[in-house]
Amino acid sequence: METIEIRLENLTKVFQAKNKEETLAVSDLDITIPAGKLIGLLGPSGCGKSTTLYMISGLLKPTSGKIFFGDSDVTSVPPEDRGIGLVFQNYALYPHMTVRQNIIFPLENIKMEKKEAERRVQYYADLVGIGHLLNRKPVQLSGGQQQRVAIARALVKEPRVLLLDEPLSNLDARLRLQTREEIKRIQRETGITTIFVTHDQEEAMSISDEIILMKEGVQQQKGAPQDVYDSPGNMFVAKFLGSPPINIFDGEIKDGKIMIGNANVGRVEKKKNQPVVVGIRPEGFKLSERSSFQVKVEFVETIGRDTTLIIQNPKASKDQANDIENEDMNRANTFRAIVDADEKIKPGDSIKLNVKPHKTFLFNPETGELV
C-alpha cells in the first residue's frame, strides 16, 4: 500500500439550518498527520471530530480550507477518487450477502479481474482473522467479527488512507479491548495512514501513535498520548484525559508556595502571587507524616495492587458542583488519591499527603490555560 501524509490547512465547516442559523462545527483546523501513523481524533460529543473525518473522506465539503493527501490537493476530489477506506460505527454490512460477497463488493464495483479480487479477499480476510468465515452471513457473526468484515472491506481496495468512525462503540467491554488491539496490529502490518475517531480517551491513548484532542471544533492539543497526559496545555485537556480524572482545587500562589486552603502542596519559582486552579492527578499523592495537607478518608476502593481513597476536599473548586461536562468523579466535597494497597487505610482515618510536583498543574482560573 502507498503511504501518504495528510495535511489540513485552515479547515473550517459551518452548517446552516433551514432558518439560516449557522453552527460552527470545525474551526480553522491546521493539522499534519504523518504518513503510516495511527492518529486518534478525540473529544466529547459534538466537538467536530466526525465532521473532520467526513471532510477528509470527501463526504462533507469544507466551508473553507484545504485538504492534501501528500502533495495532492483533494479538497474537491469526490470520495471514490481519494483512495480512502471508511469504516462506520454501525458496520453497514449487507445482510443478504456472505462475508466473501461483502468484502468483494467494492472490487466488483470497479470491475477488478476476478482472480485478483479473490486473492485480495482471502488475503485481507486472513489479515483481520476471519478467513475461515467467508461463507457465513453477518447474522451468524459476533459483533467483533462483523467489525472485522467491515475493516477487511475497507482494506480490500488497498486505499491510501483508512478512516474509522467510532468503530468500537457497539461492542461490549471485552470485545472492545480485543478489537482495538486487532486494529493496531492491522495498521502496523499494512502501514496505512489511519485516523481513528473516538470519544473514549482510554481507547485513543491505548492504540494511537498521536492523539488530537478537540473541543467545540477547535484543536486543543496534539502529541503522543503520554506526552499530552503528562503535559496538558490547558484545564480541558487535563480534565478530559485520565481515569480517575484529575482533581481540581481552588488555590493560590503565595510567596512561591502553592496553597490549597492552609496547606502548602508545592513550590513554584518566579511566579507572582495570584489565584490559581490546582490540578493534581490521583496518582500524584503520597502519604507523608511531615505534610501540612491533612485530610479525612471517606471511602476506600481496593482493586488489586492499588487503593483509591475518596477524601474530604478541604477546599473544593466552587464551580465543581455545576461542572458536569466531563463527568468528573471529584465532585464538590471529595477528591481521589491512589495509594499502594499495602497501606491498609480505612474509612474515617485522618491522613497527611504530599504532592508529586510532576503530577501537579496550575491553571488560570479565568482562561483555563496553563500558568
Side-chain angles (χ1 to χ4, degrees):
M1 290 185 184
E2 179 188 4
T3 302
I4 64 164
E5 173 187 273
I6 300 172
R7 196 166 75 255
L8 312 181
E9 292 187 357
N10 307 115
L11 200 64
T12 296
K13 181 63 180 178
V14 178
F15 290 105
Q16 191 172 67
K18 290 182 179 180
N19 62 3
K20 305 296 184 183
E21 184 178 340
E22 293 186 342
T23 301
L24 180 61
V26 175
S27 178
D28 205 29
L29 209 55
D30 269 310
I31 294 174
T32 297
I33 296 168
K37 298 296 185 181
L38 193 160
I39 303 300
L41 207 51
L42 176 66
S45 296
C47 73
K49 55 190 184 293
S50 288
T51 300
T52 301
L53 190 84
Y54 292 145
M55 285 192 286
I56 293 170
S57 73
L59 294 178
L60 280 178
K61 184 179 179 181
T63 303
S64 62
K66 292 186 176 182
I67 303 167
F68 291 88
F69 284 7
D71 295 326
S72 303
D73 183 349
V74 299
T75 312
S76 300
V77 175
E80 61 270 21
D81 296 329
R82 292 194 183 191
I84 60 146
L86 181 57
V87 178
F88 294 97
Q89 180 178 340
N90 62 359
Y91 320 147
L93 301 179
Y94 299 109
H96 62 286
M97 293 183 178
T98 63
V99 169
R100 185 189 308 277
Q101 290 167 331
N102 267 281
I103 297 173
I104 206 171
F105 187 75
L107 304 183
E108 291 177 337
N109 277 350
I110 60 174
K111 296 180 170 53
M112 178 175 286
E113 191 269 326
K114 187 175 181 181
K115 186 175 180 181
E116 172 60 14
E118 290 285 355
R119 183 197 69 79
R120 286 197 190 185
V121 168
Q122 190 65 56
Y123 175 79
Y124 287 106
D126 288 341
L127 179 68
V128 302
I130 55 167
H132 60 298
L133 303 174
L134 288 174
N135 294 321
R136 293 190 187 181
K137 291 190 174 178
V139 72
Q140 299 173 288
L141 306 179
S142 68
Q145 289 168 338
Q146 290 182 38
Q147 186 59 279
R148 293 183 190 201
V149 176
I151 293 170
R153 186 177 59 188
L155 290 172
V156 78
K157 294 183 295 182
E158 300 192 343
R160 300 188 293 172
V161 176
L162 180 62
L163 306 174
L164 304 164
D165 186 22
E166 306 241 17
L168 308 182
S169 58
N170 291 333
L171 304 179
D172 62 37
R174 184 174 180 179
L175 270 178
R176 286 169 76 101
L177 179 62
Q178 181 183 346
T179 308
R180 79 187 189 199
E181 291 170 352
E182 283 296 297
I183 288 173
K184 184 63 176 176
R185 176 188 65 80
I186 292 161
Q187 191 276 330
R188 283 179 172 165
E189 289 192 23
T190 59
I192 188 172
T193 306
T194 301
I195 302 174
F196 181 99
V197 164
T198 180
H199 63 274
D200 186 318
Q201 48 116 354
E202 181 180 326
E203 208 167 84
M205 294 183 73
S206 65
I207 70 170
S208 303
D209 296 309
E210 291 185 358
I211 57 172
I212 298 168
L213 188 53
M214 296 180 66
K215 178 188 178 186
E216 297 175 355
V218 178
Q219 177 186 331
Q220 300 295 306
Q221 195 163 345
K222 178 177 181 285
Q226 196 62 42
D227 291 345
V228 177
Y229 179 83
D230 289 337
S231 303
N234 58 44
M235 188 154 55
F236 170 79
V237 174
K239 289 168 74 175
F240 196 86
L241 296 181
S243 182
I246 195 167
N247 300 293
I248 299 296
F249 305 89
D250 282 334
E252 62 178 330
I253 297 174
K254 189 174 182 180
D255 301 326
K257 299 176 183 177
I258 304 170
M259 305 296 295
I260 297 176
N262 296 320
N264 173 15
V265 297
R267 298 192 62 85
V268 287
E269 300 295 331
K270 300 178 182 178
K271 298 287 185 185
K272 65 179 182 179
N273 289 358
Q274 59 183 302
V276 290
V277 174
V278 183
I280 305 174
R281 296 283 185 201
E283 69 271 23
F285 296 99
K286 56 185 177 181
L287 298 170
S288 172
E289 286 301 320
R290 299 171 62 184
S291 173
S292 63
F293 192 31
Q294 184 162 353
V295 291
K296 183 180 178 182
V297 177
E298 291 271 340
F299 302 102
V300 177
E301 299 174 347
T302 300
I303 303 175
R305 65 180 183 180
D306 290 330
T307 292
T308 298
L309 309 178
I310 301 174
I311 297 168
Q312 280 186 358
N313 190 335
K315 190 172 174 61
S317 177
K318 294 182 182 65
D319 65 353
Q320 282 192 61
N322 298 318
D323 177 17
I324 59 172
E325 177 185 3
N326 297 301
E327 299 180 358
D328 294 341
M329 295 300 294
N330 55 327
R331 289 274 65 85
N333 297 318
T334 61
F335 69 94
R336 293 190 174 215
I338 296 175
V339 298
D340 194 293
D342 292 339
E343 298 293 348
K344 307 299 182 185
I345 297 170
K346 303 182 298 298
D349 285 355
S350 181
I351 60 174
K352 293 182 178 181
L353 296 171
N354 267 345
V355 178
K356 301 173 185 177
H358 65 289
K359 296 292 183 181
T360 305
F361 308 96
L362 305 180
F363 304 101
N364 184 304
E366 295 179 2
T367 66
E369 295 300 312
L370 199 66
V371 173

